[in-house]
Amino acid sequence: MHGAPLEAWRDALQDLGLMGLIRTPAPPAAAAAPPAAGGAAVRPARLAAPYAAPADPAACPPEPAVAAAASLADLERAIQGCLRCPLGPGRIRFVFGEGDPAARLMFVGEGPGRDEDLQGRPFVGKAGELLERMLGAIGLAREQVYIANVVKCRPPDNRTPAPEEARACLGYLRRQIELVQPAVLVTLGATPLRELLGIGEGITRARGQWRQLEVAGTRIPVMPTFHPAYVLRQYTPEVRRAVWEDLKAAKAWADQAGRA
Ligand code: SF4
């Protein structure tokens, strides 16, 4: 999912909540387009036409349509053609989310990567394998939880979704949470914590501390932990133990809620 060393380093900074402290180098000035045979200018692939929200309501499902979805399947049908933000036109597959529709534990990551975009499923590839191992360590199979992301379409180069992209997509995630009604939500990495709860502090500080999210009048306990992609890059006993402690706490709470 994260091939280039520079990209991996950038992602690690994001996971640690340090990205805002690092100045992003200015992009190089766009080079003049080389003339094509016959003299017509060629538009470089990176200079795509600016995004314009489509007028078709099916491409931008209105809030009432999202609220009216009575099941996860209804919701997926209503939003799978979404082009509400600039990520939509670039996707290969829409990645809605998957798992037990009545799961007591729901996991929320950032957005699809390359493998997810190709397969249309969240958390596949190496990060997905690690998530499954993490779940196995607390006695759960992937099918017993529900897994979704803040955004449903892959950000280019696996970058963090822009705030306006996350905002455009957040209503879908909130409706997913309403429909699943999990006993506990586990946020993976800094992005879902920031976008769902407005908590911008680094995940290293925030992880392991219970928070609450109000969805449709219900307060859901939230356990923030590291993103599996970060764990893969920082595969130390300390990081793995931290995630294990967080997941154990989340599972214990969910079990207790299930017995109440
Ligand atoms: S990321 Fe979300 S809001 Fe943006 S186009 Fe995809 S589904 Fe729509």
Side-chain angles (χ1 to χ4, degrees):
M1 177 172 162
H2 302 282
L6 188 61
E7 193 173 295
W9 171 237
R10 183 207 60 193
D11 291 346
L13 291 174
Q14 283 169 346
D15 283 331
L16 289 167
L18 297 175
M19 204 54 185
L21 304 177
I22 309 293
R23 207 146 47 93
T24 307
V42 173
R43 178 189 276 277
R46 291 174 67 80
L47 295 181
Y51 170 78
D56 176 6
C60 296
E63 292 303 331
V66 174
S71 68
L72 289 165
D74 280 356
L75 179 64
E76 184 171 6
R77 264 192 299 278
I79 68 174
Q80 63 192 355
C82 178
L83 294 171
R84 195 186 270 189
C85 88
L87 300 181
R91 70 178 169 236
I92 296 173
R93 301 278 298 271
F94 177 82
V95 183
F96 177 71
E98 66 180 27
D100 181 352
R104 279 182 289 169
L105 269 178
M106 178 167 173
F107 289 77
V108 180
E110 178 178 289
R114 184 178 59 94
D115 295 325
E116 289 79 8
D117 190 31
L118 288 171
Q119 296 187 36
R121 299 179 57 210
F123 283 93
V124 291
K126 294 218 173 309
E129 281 169 23
L130 181 59
L131 179 61
E132 287 174 24
R133 289 212 304 276
M134 286 157 53
L135 289 172
I138 55 165
L140 287 174
R142 179 185 175 107
E143 299 72 33
Q144 292 175 281
V145 302
Y146 194 84
I147 306 171
N149 281 311
V150 169
V151 292
K152 315 298 185 206
C153 307
R154 182 191 182 193
D157 304 323
N158 293 350
R159 66 162 168 75
T160 301
E164 57 274 20
E165 294 160 354
R167 260 199 311 275
C169 214
L170 210 57
Y172 303 157
L173 175 61
R174 290 184 68 89
R175 186 67 189 138
Q176 279 175 300
I177 297 170
E178 281 175 34
L179 290 166
V180 175
Q181 296 188 322
V184 175
L185 207 58
V186 178
T187 52
L188 301 168
T191 301
L193 194 61
R194 184 176 60 244
E195 301 302 342
L196 267 176
L197 289 106
I199 295 170
E201 69 184 84
I203 189 65
T204 305
R205 287 175 56 147
R207 63 138 287 271
Q209 297 178 46
W210 284 107
R211 312 284 176 152
Q212 278 195 340
L213 175 71
E214 189 162 333
V215 177
T218 301
R219 288 189 177 175
I220 301 174
V222 177
M223 172 55 70
T225 195
F226 292 121
H227 193 285
Y230 173 77
V231 181
L232 281 173
R233 291 190 299 271
Q234 300 290 324
Y235 205 68
T236 64
E238 293 75 21
V239 168
R240 280 179 283 159
R241 190 177 311 120
V243 174
W244 188 58
E245 295 290 344
D246 298 344
L247 296 190
K248 261 195 321 181
K251 167 105 175 359
W253 191 276
D255 287 346
Q256 194 183 31
R259 282 195 291 271

